[in-house]
């Protein structure tokens, strides 16, 4: 961390870059994931006071737009000071002036911790027994992490992944999964090794519209790769049927993680009505 006075004395692009890096380090510290050597350590000033001081430096930047100025000013004057939101706001407006925009990997996202009971033990997760997804050849770690996150959040019991899927323990998959890869039961298996005693259906174009599809109480939903969708072999294995999300857009295309989220919401809605 750099003292506010030293940051104030810098000029132009150097000041903006140093401030943006400082806000990024602060945001990580607030989120509980500080970079080594970048932890907040000024003993004569609280972190909140430091954040306010350097945010006020940003307000003096002549290239800051009125909209950005008003947004940051409002956050600084709020009755309840939100350190992290101030850091995020200031950093992103600085990056916009610099002309450098953060990639998804640069976003400061703290992983969710496992909920604990009063005695400190991890609370067991609730799920719909016998429900699972089979991710076939998902190549993007972000997409796979998102699939795990959705499956856990909506209450599926398990995630199966094909041999061609990216490794769920790949850092970007873990990051996107927000701790759900560690808590979900998952298994890497070939298509032909899927359980024979559970209905298998596929999410793909050309099937029964999702509002008309009769979901199974227990089952495995196959979702296909970003590039090719569900394979012919997987469609053949999906003997229970194929469900489709109707679309009217020109492209009529959804990201696989988004499509899976729509599918699981409808499936769980059906299961809730059955209870």
């Amino acid at each position: 961390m750099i003292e506010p006075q030293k940051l104030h004395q810098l000029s132009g692009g150097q000041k903006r870059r140093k401030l943006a890096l400082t806000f990024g380090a602060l945001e990580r510290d607030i989120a509980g994931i500080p970079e080594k050597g970048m932890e907040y350590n000024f003993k004569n000033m609280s972190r909140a006071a430091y954040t306010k001081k350097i945010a006020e430096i940003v307000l003096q930047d002549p290239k800051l737009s009125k909209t950005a100025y008003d947004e940051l000013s409002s956050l600084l004057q709020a009755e309840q000071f939100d350190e992290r939101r101030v850091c995020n706001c200031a950093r992103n407006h600085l990056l916009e002036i610099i002309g450098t925009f953060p990639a998804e990997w640069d976003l400061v996202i703290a992983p969710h911790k496992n909920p604990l009971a009063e005695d400190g033990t991890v609370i067991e997760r609730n799920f719909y027994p016998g429900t699972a997804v089979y991710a076939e050849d998902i190549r993007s770690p972000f997409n796979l992490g998102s699939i795990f996150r959705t499956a856990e959040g909506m209450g599926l019991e398990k995630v199966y992944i094909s041999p061609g899927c990216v490794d769920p323990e790949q850092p970007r998959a873990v990051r996107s999964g927000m701790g759900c890869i560690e808590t979900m039961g998952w298994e890497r298996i070939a298509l032909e090794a899927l359980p024979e005693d559970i209905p298998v259906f596929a999410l793909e174009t050309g099937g029964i519209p999702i509002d008309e599809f009769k979901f199974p109480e227990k089952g495995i939903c196959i979702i296909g790769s970003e590039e090719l969708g569900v394979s012919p072999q997987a469609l053949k294995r999906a003997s229970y049927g194929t469900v489709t999300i109707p679309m009217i857009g020109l492209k009529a295309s959804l990201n696989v993680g988004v499509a899976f989220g729509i599918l699981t919401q409808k499936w769980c809605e059906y299961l809730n009505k059955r209870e």
Side-chain angles (χ1 to χ4, degrees), residues 96-250:
E96 185 176 0
I97 296 170
I98 295 168
T100 302
F101 298 95
E104 189 171 4
W105 187 243
D106 297 320
L107 301 180
V108 181
I109 302 174
H112 291 181
K113 295 180 180 179
N114 290 331
L116 300 177
E118 291 183 2
D119 61 1
T121 59
V122 177
I123 300 173
E124 291 187 11
R125 60 180 294 265
N126 292 322
F127 55 82
Y128 299 99
T131 59
V133 59
Y134 182 73
E136 183 185 41
D137 298 348
I138 301 298
R139 310 294 186 183
S140 163
F142 286 113
N143 282 343
L144 188 63
S146 172
I147 289 163
F148 269 89
R149 187 175 177 183
T150 297
E152 200 286 328
M154 297 304 293
L156 298 194
E157 181 176 4
K158 191 167 184 175
V159 174
Y160 294 103
I161 63 173
S162 75
C165 268
V166 67
D167 185 354
E169 294 182 354
Q170 204 263 16
R172 296 187 182 189
V174 171
R175 178 181 174 83
S176 179
M178 295 290 284
C180 295
I181 292 173
E182 295 92 327
T183 58
M184 279 290 296
W186 66 274
E187 185 178 352
R188 188 187 290 274
I189 61 173
L191 180 68
E192 55 270 20
L194 285 175
E196 295 285 347
D197 58 344
I198 298 177
V200 177
F201 63 102
L203 174 63
E204 185 57 282
T205 57
I208 299 172
I210 196 166
D211 286 331
E212 301 172 19
F213 188 75
K214 185 178 179 181
F215 287 96
E217 291 188 31
K218 295 183 179 181
I220 300 170
C221 177
I222 300 175
I223 55 175
S225 75
E226 298 90 344
E227 299 166 305
L228 301 174
V230 179
S231 70
Q233 295 83 3
L235 285 173
K236 186 176 179 180
R237 176 67 182 83
S239 56
Y240 187 84
T242 301
V243 57
T244 295
I245 300 170
M247 291 175 276
I248 61 172
L250 186 64

Side-chain angles (χ1 to χ4, degrees), residues 8 15-16 19 23 51-77 86 89-90 93-94 97:
H8 187 73
K15 177 188 281 188
R16 295 185 188 106
L19 280 166
F23 281 118
T51 301
K52 286 182 179 180
K53 278 187 175 294
I54 62 172
E56 286 166 359
I57 296 174
V58 178
L59 290 177
Q60 299 171 28
D61 194 312
K63 289 192 175 183
L64 192 69
S65 71
K66 184 179 184 308
T67 301
Y69 180 94
D70 290 345
E71 182 184 7
L72 187 55
S73 293
S74 177
L75 288 171
L76 286 173
Q77 295 166 16
V86 167
C89 174
H93 285 314
L94 284 166
I97 296 170

